[in-house]
Amino acid sequence: TRTTTNVPSDRGLENPYGPLWRWTGGCKCFIQSDASGGLSEFYVCDTPANFTSSGVAGYELRGYLPRVEGYVKKIIVGEYGENMPAEVGGSSTTYFSDYFYTDKPETGVQERAVLFGGYADAGAFAGFVFAATINTATDTHAAIGSRLCFIPA
């Protein structure tokens, strides 16, 4: 039996307010230690055939992320739908009311994946503008997921 239902969707994500972190294909960050440049760069690739787990060949620099975690105050809004924090300093009741998790490596540069959404018991730390750049693309966790089923129209 085929069932049709309405589900909120944005940037290709079904149920963006739902209680799961979602890996974001085509987005990656290079987080530099203070001694290695002190930048947190955000890259996007719009061509799935060019997605890669290492490096940014075929990716475009879209902006710089905050160097500390906190509640999102301003975001990078690009023409391709990227909603990444540009500044923290809000709270759970001001500005975007969503949290940004990040950390800096002590040395060198680390390539990080991007998680959106939050997880079921995150409370005020989850939401539509919630983002985390603390994980590599190979990290696993029970709360990280994606849609369970997709039936094309």
Side-chain angles (χ1 to χ4, degrees), residues 10-147:
D10 185 62
R11 294 178 287 164
L13 296 175
E14 288 86 7
N15 195 18
Y17 301 97
L20 277 181
W21 277 339
R22 290 175 180 86
W23 289 119
T24 305
C27 295
K28 61 173 58 180
C29 303
F30 276 83
I31 312 294
Q32 303 169 355
S33 69
D34 291 333
S36 294
L39 295 175
S40 296
E41 302 169 320
F42 174 61
Y43 291 87
V44 173
C45 178
D46 297 319
T47 306
N50 293 338
F51 289 2
T52 178
S53 61
S54 180
V56 290
Y59 284 69
E60 180 181 317
L61 178 65
R62 294 283 170 84
Y64 298 94
L65 306 175
R67 300 286 289 161
V68 297
E69 66 180 48
Y71 283 95
V72 179
K73 186 173 181 178
K74 292 181 182 178
I75 62 173
I76 298 168
V77 180
E79 64 180 292
Y80 301 101
E82 58 267 24
N83 281 351
M84 286 298 286
E87 182 181 337
V88 294
S91 73
S92 64
T93 59
T94 61
Y95 297 97
F96 288 94
S97 305
D98 291 337
Y99 207 77
F100 173 58
Y101 280 108
T102 193
D103 62 357
K104 300 178 281 190
E106 291 190 27
T107 61
V109 178
Q110 291 185 353
E111 187 170 344
R112 307 274 181 82
V114 178
L115 290 167
F116 283 119
Y119 55 99
D121 64 353
F125 289 157
F128 187 63
V129 182
F130 172 93
T133 61
I134 57 175
N135 302 89
T136 65
T138 58
D139 287 346
T140 59
H141 189 282
I144 298 173
S146 61
R147 64 178 165 230

